[in-house]
Amino acid sequence: MNRREFLTTTLAAGATTSTVSAAATQEGRAVKIIGVSCSPRKGKTTAAALSICLEAAKAVGPGVATELIELAGRDIGVFDPANPKATQGGFADLIPVLSDPSVAGVIVGTPVYFGNMTSLCKAFLDHCMAFRQQKFALGGKVAGIVAVGAVRNGGQELAIQSVQAALLCQEMIIIGDGQPTAHFGATLVNDGKDSITSDEFGTSTARNLGRRIAEVALRLTAGTG
Amino acid sequence: MDRRKFLATTLAAGTTAAMASTAVAAQDDKTIRIVGISCSPRKGKTTATAIRVALDAAKAVDPRIETELIDLGGLQISGSLGGATSAEAKQPEDDFELEVLPVLKAPRLPEGLIIGSPSYFRSVSALCKAFIERLQVLREPKLLLADMPVGVLSVGAYRNGGQELVIQEIQTAMLVHEVMVVGGKPRAHQGATLWNAYKDDIMKDEFGVETAKQLGVRVAEAALKFAARAS
């Protein structure tokens, strides 16, 4: 962005962040945000939490497109560095999707198993070695994390931290959930019956994360446009 | 160990404090079993070697200590299939049931555990995470690993390559079993931290190998105390 563009954007944006995206859309910029659900169970709480994130991202402006990808059923096995392709299964299909330049942000969602991300999530992140080998194809994209635990302080923060650590190895730009919650990412609780709708706080963090990642993605795209 | 061997050992050991504290356990004529789990998909490489170092150091602490290494390299182990609650979580059928669980439980669950993982992207290997999830069968309906001393080891590709984070992750997961997390003896307080800087010849990492030894000693000491109290 040059000086003039910067001034225009800043003036148009005023003091609110939502107008930034309006300005971005006026200039025809479009960004894609992908949610990756790392639960072995399809269509359950992690996918639901990501859907909330993606809806909030979309609401930031018409320039934001979203997509939900579920890893369940894609046969992604534990990573062996000696033979990565042997166990990558359906991960191969995700390589072009995630590394596409139009993808400006990725939200990784995981249930909390034993105070950490699921092994499926770790398998996915380990297979992301492929992106490092493709000149850091995920580098510069924005990443936010969603964790769904079984209880209130059920390892959500630890799981988020572990996913963040792995994504920093991809040169991704890590963000948390936006204001007013503004912490580590989206932290939700499964009520034990596979629903998150009664978790008001958790769903608000999911919305704030979705909005924030779209805002930052648009801002970064403006910077490179 | 039978009674005669026990007496011989005790006499040979004299009155050192280390033996005195462990004598109670030995009265039960029980061996103290410490199992090491290598969670690298690469069989027999740096993580397995480092665990072996820790186990050998553990064995040297007391003649009643027996050790066993379970190398997960080459085994097919997937993570939990999940559920609305942990009690409802479904488990896949694979090498965990066939190759790992029987060894872990034979002839009984060990008195001490050392878990080691390579650091992949600043966290445990996916194989390690899968293994940890599968230990669920030892958690519900009953906490079978409760009070067991557990020490952790990690091998990273860089000097500060996530070793500490890996250790923390495994310790956190094992606390869910009500285990007793232990570090290593002084200078290896968190656990064993190794650096694969020498093309898979982990023994060249002198600092790291020393931490593995200190971890083994600490787990052995804790296992002896655990066995003494349990008997």
Coordinates of all heavy atoms in Angstrom, one line a residue, chain A residues 14-108:
Chain A
G14 N -12.3 5.5 9.3 CA -12.6 6.2 10.5 C -12.1 5.5 11.7 O -11.0 4.9 11.7
A15 N -12.9 5.4 12.7 CA -12.4 4.8 13.9 C -12.9 3.4 14.1 O -12.5 2.7 15.0 CB -12.8 5.7 15.1
T16 N -13.8 3.0 13.2 CA -14.3 1.6 13.4 C -13.6 0.6 12.5 O -13.1 1.0 11.4 CB -15.8 1.6 13.1 OG1 -16.0 1.8 11.7 CG2 -16.6 2.6 13.9
T17 N -13.6 -0.6 12.9 CA -12.9 -1.6 12.1 C -13.8 -2.1 11.0 O -13.4 -2.6 10.0 CB -12.5 -2.8 13.0 OG1 -13.5 -3.1 13.9 CG2 -11.2 -2.4 13.7
S18 N -15.1 -2.1 11.3 CA -16.0 -2.7 10.3 C -16.0 -1.9 9.0 O -16.2 -2.5 7.9 CB -17.5 -2.8 10.8 OG -17.9 -1.5 11.2
T19 N -15.8 -0.6 9.0 CA -15.7 0.1 7.8 C -14.5 -0.2 7.0 O -14.5 0.1 5.8 CB -15.8 1.7 8.0 OG1 -15.5 1.9 9.4 CG2 -17.2 2.2 7.7
V20 N -13.5 -0.7 7.6 CA -12.3 -1.1 6.8 C -12.7 -2.1 5.8 O -12.3 -2.0 4.6 CB -11.2 -1.7 7.8 CG1 -10.1 -2.3 6.9 CG2 -10.7 -0.6 8.7
S21 N -13.5 -3.0 6.2 CA -13.9 -4.1 5.3 C -14.8 -3.5 4.2 O -14.7 -3.9 3.0 CB -14.6 -5.2 6.0 OG -15.7 -4.7 6.7
A22 N -15.6 -2.5 4.5 CA -16.5 -1.9 3.5 C -15.6 -1.2 2.5 O -15.8 -1.4 1.3 CB -17.4 -0.8 4.2
A23 N -14.6 -0.5 2.9 CA -13.7 0.1 2.0 C -13.0 -0.9 1.1 O -12.8 -0.7 -0.1 CB -12.6 0.9 2.8
A24 N -12.6 -2.0 1.7 CA -11.9 -3.0 1.0 C -12.8 -3.6 -0.1 O -12.4 -3.8 -1.2 CB -11.5 -4.2 2.0
T25 N -14.1 -3.8 0.2 CA -15.0 -4.4 -0.7 C -15.2 -3.4 -1.9 O -15.3 -3.8 -3.0 CB -16.3 -4.7 -0.1 OG1 -16.1 -5.2 1.2 CG2 -17.1 -5.7 -0.9
Q26 N -15.3 -2.1 -1.6 CA -15.5 -1.1 -2.6 C -14.4 -1.2 -3.6 O -14.6 -1.0 -4.8 CB -15.5 0.3 -2.0 CG -16.9 0.7 -1.4 CD -16.8 1.9 -0.5 OE1 -15.8 2.6 -0.5 NE2 -17.9 2.1 0.3
E27 N -13.2 -1.5 -3.1 CA -12.0 -1.6 -4.1 C -12.0 -3.0 -4.7 O -11.0 -3.3 -5.4 CB -10.7 -1.3 -3.3 CG -10.6 0.1 -2.9 CD -9.5 0.3 -1.8 OE1 -8.6 -0.5 -1.8 OE2 -9.7 1.2 -1.0
G28 N -13.0 -3.8 -4.5 CA -13.1 -5.0 -5.2 C -12.2 -6.1 -4.6 O -11.9 -7.1 -5.3
R29 N -11.7 -5.9 -3.4 CA -10.9 -7.0 -2.9 C -11.8 -8.1 -2.3 O -12.8 -7.9 -1.7 CB -10.0 -6.4 -1.7 CG -8.9 -5.6 -2.2 CD -7.9 -5.4 -1.1 NE -8.4 -4.8 0.1 CZ -8.5 -3.4 0.3 NH1 -8.0 -2.6 -0.6 NH2 -9.0 -3.0 1.4
A30 N -11.3 -9.3 -2.5 CA -12.0 -10.5 -1.9 C -11.1 -11.4 -1.2 O -9.9 -11.6 -1.7 CB -12.7 -11.2 -3.1
V31 N -11.5 -11.9 -0.1 CA -10.7 -12.8 0.6 C -11.5 -14.1 0.9 O -12.7 -14.0 1.0 CB -10.1 -12.2 1.9 CG1 -9.2 -11.1 1.7 CG2 -11.3 -11.9 2.9
K32 N -10.8 -15.2 1.1 CA -11.5 -16.4 1.4 C -10.9 -16.9 2.8 O -9.7 -16.8 3.1 CB -11.2 -17.5 0.4 CG -12.0 -18.7 0.6 CD -11.9 -19.6 -0.6 CE -12.9 -20.8 -0.5 NZ -12.7 -21.7 -1.6
I33 N -11.9 -17.3 3.6 CA -11.5 -17.8 5.0 C -12.0 -19.2 5.0 O -13.2 -19.5 4.7 CB -12.2 -17.0 6.1 CG1 -12.1 -15.5 5.9 CG2 -11.8 -17.5 7.5 CD1 -10.7 -15.0 6.3
I34 N -11.1 -20.1 5.3 CA -11.4 -21.6 5.4 C -11.4 -22.0 6.8 O -10.5 -21.7 7.6 CB -10.5 -22.4 4.5 CG1 -10.7 -22.1 3.1 CG2 -10.7 -23.9 4.8 CD1 -9.9 -22.9 2.1
G35 N -12.5 -22.7 7.2 CA -12.5 -23.4 8.5 C -12.2 -24.8 8.4 O -12.7 -25.5 7.5
V36 N -11.3 -25.3 9.2 CA -10.9 -26.7 9.1 C -11.3 -27.4 10.4 O -10.7 -27.1 11.5 CB -9.4 -26.9 8.9 CG1 -9.0 -28.4 8.8 CG2 -8.9 -26.2 7.6
S37 N -12.3 -28.3 10.4 CA -12.7 -29.0 11.6 C -11.9 -30.3 11.8 O -11.9 -31.2 10.9 CB -14.2 -29.3 11.5 OG -14.5 -30.2 12.6
C38 N -11.2 -30.4 12.9 CA -10.3 -31.5 13.2 C -10.9 -32.5 14.1 O -10.2 -33.2 14.9 CB -9.0 -31.0 13.7 SG -8.2 -29.9 12.6
S39 N -12.3 -32.6 14.1 CA -12.9 -33.6 15.0 C -13.1 -34.9 14.1 O -13.4 -34.8 13.0 CB -14.3 -33.1 15.4 OG -15.0 -34.2 16.0
P40 N -12.9 -36.0 14.8 CA -13.1 -37.3 14.0 C -14.6 -37.5 13.8 O -15.0 -38.4 13.1 CB -12.5 -38.3 14.9 CG -12.4 -37.7 16.3 CD -12.3 -36.3 16.1
R41 N -15.4 -36.7 14.4 CA -16.9 -36.8 14.3 C -17.4 -35.7 13.4 O -17.3 -34.5 13.8 CB -17.5 -36.8 15.7 CG -17.0 -38.0 16.5 CD -17.8 -38.1 17.8 NE -17.8 -36.8 18.5 CZ -18.9 -36.4 19.1 NH1 -20.1 -37.0 19.1 NH2 -18.9 -35.2 19.8
K42 N -18.0 -36.0 12.3 CA -18.5 -35.1 11.3 C -19.8 -34.4 11.8 O -20.6 -35.0 12.4 CB -18.8 -35.8 10.0 CG -18.8 -34.9 8.8 CD -18.7 -35.6 7.5 CE -18.7 -34.6 6.4 NZ -18.4 -35.3 5.1
G43 N -19.8 -33.1 11.6 CA -21.0 -32.3 11.8 C -21.4 -32.1 13.3 O -22.5 -31.9 13.6
K44 N -20.4 -32.3 14.2 CA -20.7 -32.1 15.6 C -20.3 -30.8 16.1 O -20.3 -29.8 15.3 CB -20.1 -33.3 16.4 CG -20.5 -34.7 16.0 CD -21.9 -34.9 16.4 CE -22.3 -36.4 16.0 NZ -23.7 -36.7 16.3
T45 N -20.0 -30.6 17.4 CA -19.8 -29.3 18.0 C -18.7 -28.5 17.4 O -18.8 -27.3 17.2 CB -19.6 -29.5 19.5 OG1 -18.5 -30.4 19.7 CG2 -20.8 -29.9 20.2
T46 N -17.6 -29.1 17.0 CA -16.4 -28.4 16.4 C -16.9 -27.8 15.1 O -16.6 -26.6 14.8 CB -15.2 -29.3 16.3 OG1 -14.9 -29.8 17.5 CG2 -14.0 -28.5 15.8
A47 N -17.5 -28.6 14.3 CA -18.0 -28.0 13.0 C -19.0 -26.9 13.2 O -19.0 -25.9 12.5 CB -18.6 -29.2 12.2
A48 N -19.9 -27.1 14.2 CA -20.9 -26.1 14.5 C -20.2 -24.8 15.0 O -20.6 -23.7 14.6 CB -21.8 -26.6 15.6
A49 N -19.2 -24.9 15.8 CA -18.5 -23.7 16.3 C -17.8 -23.0 15.1 O -17.8 -21.8 15.0 CB -17.4 -24.1 17.3
L50 N -17.2 -23.8 14.2 CA -16.6 -23.2 13.1 C -17.6 -22.5 12.2 O -17.3 -21.4 11.6 CB -15.8 -24.2 12.3 CG -14.4 -24.6 12.8 CD1 -13.9 -25.9 12.2 CD2 -13.4 -23.5 12.6
S51 N -18.8 -23.1 12.0 CA -19.8 -22.4 11.2 C -20.2 -21.1 11.8 O -20.4 -20.1 11.0 CB -21.0 -23.3 11.2 OG -20.7 -24.5 10.5
I52 N -20.2 -21.0 13.1 CA -20.5 -19.7 13.8 C -19.4 -18.7 13.4 O -19.6 -17.5 13.0 CB -20.6 -19.8 15.3 CG1 -21.8 -20.7 15.6 CG2 -20.6 -18.5 16.0 CD1 -21.9 -21.0 17.1
C53 N -18.1 -19.1 13.5 CA -17.0 -18.3 13.1 C -17.1 -17.8 11.7 O -17.0 -16.6 11.4 CB -15.7 -19.1 13.2 SG -15.1 -19.5 14.8
L54 N -17.4 -18.7 10.8 CA -17.4 -18.4 9.3 C -18.6 -17.5 9.0 O -18.5 -16.6 8.2 CB -17.5 -19.7 8.5 CG -16.3 -20.6 8.6 CD1 -16.5 -21.9 7.9 CD2 -15.0 -19.9 8.2
E55 N -19.7 -17.7 9.7 CA -20.8 -16.7 9.5 C -20.5 -15.3 9.9 O -20.8 -14.4 9.2 CB -22.0 -17.2 10.3 CG -23.0 -18.1 9.6 CD -24.1 -18.6 10.5 OE1 -24.7 -17.8 11.3 OE2 -24.3 -19.8 10.5
A56 N -19.8 -15.2 11.0 CA -19.4 -13.9 11.5 C -18.3 -13.3 10.6 O -18.3 -12.1 10.3 CB -18.8 -14.0 12.9
A57 N -17.5 -14.1 10.0 CA -16.5 -13.6 9.1 C -17.2 -13.1 7.8 O -16.8 -12.0 7.3 CB -15.5 -14.8 8.7
K58 N -18.1 -13.8 7.3 CA -18.9 -13.5 6.1 C -19.6 -12.1 6.3 O -19.7 -11.3 5.4 CB -19.9 -14.5 5.8 CG -20.1 -14.9 4.4 CD -21.0 -16.1 4.3 CE -21.0 -16.6 2.9 NZ -21.7 -17.9 2.8
A59 N -20.1 -11.9 7.6 CA -20.9 -10.7 7.9 C -20.0 -9.5 7.9 O -20.6 -8.4 7.8 CB -21.6 -10.9 9.2
V60 N -18.7 -9.6 7.9 CA -17.8 -8.5 7.8 C -18.0 -7.7 6.5 O -17.9 -6.5 6.5 CB -16.4 -8.9 8.1 CG1 -15.4 -7.8 7.8 CG2 -16.2 -9.4 9.5
G61 N -18.3 -8.4 5.5 CA -18.5 -7.7 4.2 C -18.7 -8.7 3.0 O -18.3 -9.8 3.2
P62 N -19.2 -8.2 1.9 CA -19.5 -9.1 0.8 C -18.2 -9.6 0.1 O -18.3 -10.5 -0.6 CB -20.3 -8.2 -0.2 CG -20.0 -6.8 0.3 CD -19.7 -6.8 1.7
G63 N -17.1 -9.0 0.5 CA -15.8 -9.5 -0.1 C -15.3 -10.7 0.6 O -14.2 -11.2 0.2
V64 N -16.0 -11.2 1.6 CA -15.5 -12.3 2.4 C -16.2 -13.6 2.0 O -17.4 -13.7 2.1 CB -15.6 -12.1 3.9 CG1 -15.0 -13.3 4.7 CG2 -14.9 -10.8 4.3
A65 N -15.5 -14.6 1.5 CA -16.1 -15.9 1.1 C -15.6 -16.9 2.2 O -14.4 -16.7 2.7 CB -15.7 -16.3 -0.3
T66 N -16.4 -17.9 2.5 CA -16.0 -18.8 3.5 C -16.2 -20.3 3.0 O -17.0 -20.5 2.1 CB -16.7 -18.6 4.8 OG1 -18.1 -18.9 4.6 CG2 -16.5 -17.2 5.4
E67 N -15.5 -21.2 3.6 CA -15.7 -22.6 3.3 C -15.3 -23.4 4.5 O -14.4 -23.1 5.3 CB -14.8 -23.0 2.2 CG -14.9 -24.4 1.7 CD -14.0 -24.9 0.6 OE1 -13.4 -24.0 0.0 OE2 -13.9 -26.1 0.3
L68 N -16.2 -24.4 4.8 CA -15.9 -25.3 5.9 C -15.4 -26.6 5.4 O -16.0 -27.3 4.5 CB -17.2 -25.5 6.8 CG -17.0 -26.5 7.9 CD1 -16.0 -26.1 9.0 CD2 -18.4 -26.8 8.5
I69 N -14.2 -27.1 5.9 CA -13.7 -28.4 5.5 C -13.7 -29.3 6.8 O -13.1 -28.8 7.8 CB -12.3 -28.2 4.9 CG1 -12.3 -27.5 3.6 CG2 -11.6 -29.6 4.8 CD1 -10.9 -27.1 3.1
E70 N -14.2 -30.4 6.7 CA -14.2 -31.4 7.8 C -13.2 -32.5 7.5 O -13.2 -33.1 6.4 CB -15.6 -31.9 8.1 CG -16.6 -30.9 8.5 CD -17.7 -31.4 9.3 OE1 -17.5 -32.1 10.3 OE2 -18.9 -31.2 8.9
L71 N -12.3 -32.7 8.4 CA -11.3 -33.8 8.2 C -11.9 -35.2 8.5 O -11.3 -36.2 8.1 CB -10.1 -33.5 9.1 CG -9.3 -32.2 8.9 CD1 -8.1 -32.2 9.8 CD2 -9.0 -32.0 7.5
A72 N -13.0 -35.2 9.2 CA -13.6 -36.5 9.6 C -13.8 -37.3 8.3 O -14.4 -36.8 7.3 CB -14.9 -36.4 10.3
G73 N -13.5 -38.6 8.3 CA -13.7 -39.4 7.1 C -12.7 -39.3 6.0 O -12.9 -39.9 4.9
R74 N -11.7 -38.4 6.1 CA -10.8 -38.2 5.0 C -9.6 -39.1 5.1 O -8.6 -38.9 4.4 CB -10.4 -36.7 5.0 CG -11.4 -35.8 4.4 CD -11.0 -34.3 4.4 NE -12.0 -33.5 4.0 CZ -12.2 -33.0 2.8 NH1 -11.4 -33.3 1.9 NH2 -13.2 -32.2 2.5
D75 N -9.6 -40.0 6.1 CA -8.5 -41.0 6.2 C -7.1 -40.4 6.3 O -6.2 -40.8 5.6 CB -8.7 -41.9 5.0 CG -7.8 -43.2 5.1 OD1 -7.6 -43.6 6.2 OD2 -7.3 -43.7 4.1
I76 N -7.0 -39.4 7.1 CA -5.7 -38.8 7.3 C -5.0 -39.5 8.5 O -5.4 -39.3 9.6 CB -5.8 -37.3 7.6 CG1 -6.5 -36.6 6.4 CG2 -4.4 -36.6 7.8 CD1 -6.8 -35.1 6.5
G77 N -3.9 -40.2 8.2 CA -3.3 -41.0 9.3 C -2.1 -40.3 9.9 O -1.7 -39.2 9.4
V78 N -1.6 -40.9 11.0 CA -0.5 -40.2 11.7 C 0.7 -40.1 10.7 O 1.0 -40.9 9.9 CB -0.1 -41.0 13.0 CG1 -1.2 -41.1 13.9 CG2 0.5 -42.4 12.6
F79 N 1.4 -39.0 10.9 CA 2.5 -38.6 10.0 C 3.8 -39.3 10.2 O 4.2 -39.4 11.4 CB 2.7 -37.1 10.1 CG 3.8 -36.5 9.3 CD1 3.5 -36.2 8.0 CD2 5.0 -36.2 9.8 CE1 4.5 -35.6 7.2 CE2 6.0 -35.6 9.1 CZ 5.8 -35.3 7.7
D80 N 4.4 -39.8 9.2 CA 5.7 -40.5 9.3 C 6.6 -39.7 8.4 O 6.4 -39.7 7.1 CB 5.6 -41.9 8.9 CG 6.9 -42.6 8.9 OD1 7.9 -42.0 9.2 OD2 7.0 -43.8 8.6
P81 N 7.6 -39.0 8.9 CA 8.4 -38.2 8.1 C 9.2 -39.0 7.0 O 9.6 -38.4 6.0 CB 9.4 -37.5 9.1 CG 9.3 -38.3 10.3 CD 8.0 -38.9 10.3
A82 N 9.4 -40.3 7.3 CA 10.1 -41.1 6.4 C 9.3 -41.4 5.1 O 9.8 -41.6 4.0 CB 10.5 -42.4 7.0
N83 N 8.0 -41.3 5.3 CA 7.1 -41.6 4.1 C 5.8 -40.8 4.3 O 4.7 -41.4 4.6 CB 6.8 -43.1 4.1 CG 6.2 -43.5 2.7 OD1 6.0 -42.6 1.9 ND2 5.9 -44.8 2.6
P84 N 5.8 -39.5 4.1 CA 4.6 -38.7 4.4 C 3.4 -39.1 3.6 O 2.3 -39.1 4.1 CB 5.1 -37.3 4.1 CG 6.6 -37.3 4.1 CD 7.0 -38.7 3.7
K85 N 3.6 -39.5 2.3 CA 2.5 -39.7 1.5 C 1.7 -41.0 1.8 O 0.6 -41.1 1.5 CB 2.9 -39.7 0.0 CG 3.3 -38.3 -0.5 CD 3.5 -38.2 -2.0 CE 3.7 -36.7 -2.3 NZ 4.2 -36.6 -3.7
A86 N 2.4 -41.9 2.5 CA 1.8 -43.2 2.8 C 0.6 -43.0 3.6 O -0.4 -43.8 3.5 CB 2.8 -44.1 3.5
T87 N 0.5 -42.0 4.5 CA -0.6 -41.9 5.4 C -1.4 -40.6 5.2 O -2.3 -40.3 6.0 CB -0.1 -41.9 6.9 OG1 0.9 -40.9 7.0 CG2 0.5 -43.2 7.2
Q88 N -1.1 -39.8 4.1 CA -1.7 -38.5 4.0 C -3.2 -38.6 3.6 O -4.0 -37.8 3.9 CB -1.0 -37.6 3.1 CG -1.0 -37.9 1.7 CD -0.3 -36.8 0.8 OE1 0.3 -35.9 1.4 NE2 -0.4 -36.9 -0.5
G89 N -3.6 -39.7 3.0 CA -5.0 -39.9 2.6 C -5.6 -38.7 1.9 O -5.0 -38.2 1.0
G90 N -6.7 -38.3 2.4 CA -7.4 -37.2 1.8 C -6.7 -35.8 2.0 O -7.2 -34.8 1.5
F91 N -5.6 -35.8 2.8 CA -4.9 -34.5 2.9 C -4.4 -34.0 1.6 O -4.4 -32.8 1.4 CB -3.7 -34.7 3.9 CG -2.9 -33.5 4.1 CD1 -3.3 -32.5 4.9 CD2 -1.7 -33.3 3.3 CE1 -2.6 -31.3 5.1 CE2 -1.0 -32.1 3.5 CZ -1.4 -31.1 4.4
A92 N -4.1 -34.9 0.7 CA -3.6 -34.6 -0.7 C -4.6 -33.6 -1.4 O -4.2 -32.6 -2.0 CB -3.4 -35.8 -1.5
D93 N -5.9 -33.8 -1.2 CA -6.9 -33.0 -1.8 C -6.9 -31.6 -1.2 O -7.3 -30.6 -1.9 CB -8.3 -33.6 -1.6 CG -8.4 -35.0 -2.2 OD1 -7.6 -35.3 -3.1 OD2 -9.2 -35.8 -1.7
L94 N -6.4 -31.5 0.0 CA -6.5 -30.2 0.7 C -5.3 -29.3 0.4 O -5.4 -28.1 0.6 CB -6.6 -30.4 2.2 CG -7.7 -31.2 2.7 CD1 -7.6 -31.3 4.3 CD2 -9.0 -30.6 2.3
I95 N -4.2 -29.9 -0.1 CA -3.0 -29.1 -0.4 C -3.3 -27.9 -1.4 O -3.1 -26.7 -1.0 CB -1.9 -30.0 -0.9 CG1 -1.5 -31.0 0.2 CG2 -0.7 -29.1 -1.3 CD1 -0.4 -32.0 -0.2
P96 N -3.9 -28.2 -2.5 CA -4.2 -27.0 -3.4 C -5.2 -26.1 -2.9 O -5.2 -24.9 -3.1 CB -4.7 -27.7 -4.7 CG -5.1 -29.1 -4.4 CD -4.3 -29.5 -3.2
V97 N -6.2 -26.6 -2.1 CA -7.3 -25.8 -1.6 C -6.7 -24.8 -0.6 O -7.0 -23.6 -0.7 CB -8.3 -26.6 -0.9 CG1 -9.4 -25.8 -0.3 CG2 -8.9 -27.6 -1.9
L98 N -5.9 -25.2 0.4 CA -5.4 -24.4 1.4 C -4.3 -23.4 0.9 O -4.2 -22.3 1.5 CB -4.9 -25.2 2.6 CG -6.0 -25.9 3.4 CD1 -5.4 -26.9 4.4 CD2 -6.9 -24.9 4.2
S99 N -3.5 -23.9 0.0 CA -2.4 -23.0 -0.4 C -2.8 -22.0 -1.5 O -2.0 -21.2 -1.9 CB -1.2 -23.9 -1.0 OG -1.7 -24.7 -2.0
D100 N -4.0 -22.1 -2.0 CA -4.5 -21.2 -3.0 C -4.3 -19.7 -2.5 O -4.7 -19.4 -1.3 CB -6.0 -21.4 -3.3 CG -6.4 -20.7 -4.5 OD1 -6.6 -19.5 -4.5 OD2 -6.6 -21.4 -5.6
P101 N -3.8 -18.9 -3.3 CA -3.5 -17.5 -2.9 C -4.8 -16.7 -2.5 O -4.7 -15.8 -1.7 CB -2.9 -16.8 -4.2 CG -2.4 -18.0 -5.0 CD -3.3 -19.1 -4.7
S102 N -5.9 -17.2 -2.9 CA -7.2 -16.5 -2.5 C -7.5 -16.7 -1.1 O -8.3 -16.0 -0.5 CB -8.3 -16.9 -3.4 OG -8.7 -18.2 -3.1
V103 N -6.9 -17.8 -0.5 CA -7.2 -18.1 0.9 C -6.3 -17.1 1.8 O -5.1 -17.2 1.8 CB -6.9 -19.5 1.2 CG1 -7.1 -19.8 2.7 CG2 -7.8 -20.4 0.4
A104 N -7.0 -16.2 2.5 CA -6.3 -15.3 3.3 C -6.3 -15.7 4.8 O -5.4 -15.2 5.5 CB -6.9 -13.9 3.2
G105 N -7.2 -16.5 5.1 CA -7.3 -16.9 6.5 C -7.7 -18.4 6.7 O -8.5 -18.9 5.9
V106 N -7.2 -19.0 7.8 CA -7.6 -20.4 8.1 C -8.0 -20.4 9.6 O -7.2 -19.9 10.4 CB -6.5 -21.4 7.8 CG1 -6.9 -22.8 8.2 CG2 -6.0 -21.3 6.3
I107 N -9.1 -21.0 9.8 CA -9.5 -21.2 11.2 C -9.4 -22.7 11.5 O -10.1 -23.5 10.8 CB -10.9 -20.7 11.5 CG1 -11.1 -19.2 11.1 CG2 -11.2 -20.8 13.0 CD1 -12.5 -18.7 11.2
V108 N -8.6 -23.1 12.4 CA -8.4 -24.5 12.8 C -9.3 -24.8 14.0 O -9.1 -24.1 15.0 CB -7.0 -24.9 13.0 CG1 -6.9 -26.3 13.5 CG2 -6.1 -24.6 11.7

